[in-house]
Amino acid sequence: MSGVFVVGSINQDFVLRLERRPEPGETVTGAELSLFPGGKGANSAVAAARLGARVAMLGRVGEDAFGADLVRNLREAGVDTTHVGSVPGVPTGSAFITVTPDGENAIVVSPGANRSFGPREVDAAAEDLRAAGVLVAQLEVDAGAVGRAARAVMGAGGRFLLNFAPPREVPEGILALADPLVVNEHEARFLLGEAGGEPEAAVEGLLGRGPRSVVVTLGAEGALLAAGGSTRRFGAPEVEAVDTTGAGDAFVGALAARLAGGDGLEEAVPYAVLAGAAAVTREGAQGSLPTPEEVEGLD
Ligand code: ATP
């Protein structure tokens, strides 16, 4: 048993660099537009594939030019897209990201086709799911599909890595299937409320929600792993942070790749910390995902 299976989102990212955001009713011209492939699911699938894992993905795009390009991009990155379909009459998922000169970004997401699949589409991929070592999912797609896929993978002896991003209410049972549950500090606070506090205390609260293991990513501070009754912090190397977009997806993809390759969490988490650090040294989400040589170069 080996390989990573991602049930997740595929988005077209529209990045607008502009002097300032318009007030309601106002028009601002002169914005510079760049298009990038995105979506947390696709980003983590490409991250795992770039690090040498065998990766398949279940997802949906619209029957439009963006969708076709995004699927081609996944295939070129080495991701098996057998279970990526296009949905007629629904637009491809899109993220509209405005970036002002101070580096601040504001994002509007239109899920489009990402919300057009559920448990039925998961069942159609059951055979490949059962052959996967690690299932990766985030929360940009239907939670029912995620739960169904997790049960299929785990029923065949695989594990379920749940990245709780973007944070939203989900059926409680899904958290209990995760091994590990991966959150950043913001997502930890969403799950725990103000009780979040220090990360070391937060992991106890998060374990109390049922997952077998928890990873809290801490940006430049690295990550915290709670598993098997102990908690360990893995520091990140000092790097020149150019753009942190996609660091979390790089982390998740690297973690999944190592777990699918047979590592335990104690080995896979420090590797993922290095992959996240490598990703912040370059601009963009998928464009900044590191190769194995770049990750090892930071060790
Ligand atoms: P994003 O939403 O920006 O993709 P995130 O908030 O989900 O990221 P972070 O905790 O910010 O996730 O980062 C994930 C991992 O990336 C960290 O655990 C760390 O390994 C690495 N990382 C992020 N920022 C830095 C940094 N400034 N320096 C070194 N490593 C970093």
Side-chain angles (χ1 to χ4, degrees):
M1 177 166 320
S2 67
V4 173
F5 198 108
V6 180
V7 171
S9 58
I10 304 167
N11 283 345
Q12 180 66 54
D13 286 357
F14 297 86
V15 179
L16 277 166
R17 292 189 179 275
L18 71 185
E19 281 305 309
R20 62 176 184 86
R21 290 183 189 90
E23 299 295 332
E26 187 193 5
T27 300
V28 167
T29 62
E32 227 178 82
L33 175 67
S34 310
L35 273 61
F36 298 107
K40 287 181 174 295
N43 292 349
S44 60
V46 171
R50 197 162 291 167
L51 292 171
R54 199 154 52 80
V55 185
M57 182 164 181
L58 167 61
R60 289 291 181 273
V61 294
E63 228 174 41
D64 50 29
F66 295 124
D69 271 0
L70 291 169
V71 176
R72 190 175 324 114
N73 172 70
L74 282 170
R75 228 180 277 132
E76 283 171 6
V79 176
D80 177 346
T81 58
T82 306
H83 301 292
V84 178
S86 60
V87 187
V90 181
T92 293
S94 311
F96 300 89
I97 304 157
T98 55
V99 186
T100 41
D102 57 6
E104 202 180 357
N105 63 36
I107 305 176
V108 177
V109 174
S110 164
N114 289 311
R115 292 277 169 82
S116 304
F117 68 94
R120 201 153 44 107
E121 286 72 15
V122 169
D123 287 351
E127 200 179 314
D128 288 341
L129 276 163
R130 282 196 293 269
V134 179
L135 173 73
V136 173
Q138 299 89 356
L139 300 179
E140 287 185 328
V141 297
D142 176 65
V146 170
R148 184 85 166 180
R151 289 185 178 88
V153 167
M154 293 168 73
R159 73 194 298 163
F160 171 41
L161 187 171
L162 175 62
N163 180 203
F164 203 81
R168 66 182 172 96
E169 299 297 336
V170 292
E172 191 69 21
I174 288 183
L175 290 179
L177 301 175
D179 182 19
L181 170 68
V182 180
V183 294
N184 65 17
E185 292 172 278
H186 167 66
E187 292 145 12
R189 272 196 298 278
F190 177 92
L191 281 165
L192 297 172
E194 282 315 306
E198 284 300 303
E200 274 81 359
V203 292
E204 291 307 317
L206 292 168
L207 284 170
R209 303 289 292 269
R212 288 191 65 161
S213 55
V214 169
V215 176
V216 182
T217 65
L218 304 167
E221 302 296 314
L224 206 58
L225 165 65
S230 68
T231 300
R232 242 186 107 178
R233 192 186 273 254
F234 297 93
E238 219 170 281
V239 294
E240 198 195 329
V242 173
D243 177 9
T244 61
T245 316
D249 298 335
F251 184 99
V252 164
L255 186 60
R258 294 307 277 222
L259 292 173
D263 275 1
L265 284 164
E266 288 280 331
E267 298 88 46
V269 170
Y271 185 85
V273 165
L274 296 179
V280 306
T281 62
R282 277 201 304 261
E283 251 195 294
Q286 284 186 23
S288 71
L289 295 171
T291 61
E293 294 72 31
E294 284 164 341
V295 175
E296 275 138 33
L298 284 177
D299 203 358

